[in-house]
Amino acid sequence: MIYDFLLDPTHHGFKTWFKNTKKNNRPCINHINMPTRMLLESINSIDHQHPCIKHFEKKPNWPCLTSKDFMPKNPCELSFPLMIGGPCSLESKQQLTQTIHQLYPITKYIRAGIYKPRTNAHQFQGLGPAGVELIHDLKQTHHFQLVSEITCPSQIEGMSKICSIFQVGTRNMSNTALLKALGQTDLPIILKRSLSGTYEEWLQSAEYIIKAGNPQVILCERGIRTFEPATRNTFDINAIPYLKAKTNLPIIADTSHGTGHRHLVAPIALAAITAGADGLLIEAHPTPLTSITDANQALSIEECSALFNQAQALVDFLESNNT
Ligand code: PEP
Ligand code: MN
């Protein structure tokens, strides 16, 4: 697949570079962490005005493919703001049918974890292959776009038949084998920040996906671990405007995991939108208290719909005021 930005005439060198990198017959990005002199020596057959090289000369330690120099516009073929809601885990056909019925008028993007990366090995690990089958059946009669987590490359084939967006979870932000494998798909990838990942490390993970051929990366701030035990995580709102100044990749906010408490999910989500977030990823369940996983942070479907409506109104207001 050739993306618009690869063909952008202002980036004339990129298309050739991209093709050659795929064939692996021209050194460029593989040398990105070498000193500038060596990099330039090794690529003297390449246009020195190439945005990748210009970027590297300016900021040798910063990620390149995700930079605004290199990626002049958002590469994701989705419309924003992106509102994604649904249960932490897929539990049953009835649970998801009810979620779809109630959320679909507001958003067609439904989240539901099938492979769950749990901290505790003895707890529910997701429905796994049975969940894939269940979604397959449900798709015969219901229209929705599934967003779900991939925890290892072997799941990609089966999951690509039912998912519209893949998610890389917090625990896998630095799983380079997974990132490279997802880079060979052509679905958008939500890349969550790890519990202690810096902005640079997070963007470096995005580079793995893009370098492997898939520029459709959506960053997702989901809270980091701090010394504060009252909330599950601390939602880092700084990340949103900070990264928006560095990259054209979209960034969305998961304030469910970012706070861990249902009464905090909506106010922090609206704060994230105000800070410039390109969408929300929210856990919602038809009967939140019975949710098998993450019950404390689950909104009801009605609460989730109301939040998405408020968030959309806020986006409209901010856009009309040009902020
Ligand atoms: C999830 O979204 O269900 C999830 C497990 O999130 P995280 O990877 O952010 O913990
Ligand atoms: Mn969860």
Side-chain angles (χ1 to χ4, degrees), residues 88 111 116-117 149 167-171 192 222 232 254 257 281 283 294:
C88 178
R111 62 152 289 151
K116 296 301 299 177
E149 179 163 352
Q167 178 176 312
V168 175
T170 287
R171 292 155 189 82
K192 289 200 170 194
R222 52 76 72 206
R232 182 177 181 183
D254 168 359
H257 295 89
L281 176 65
E283 289 190 346
D294 289 349

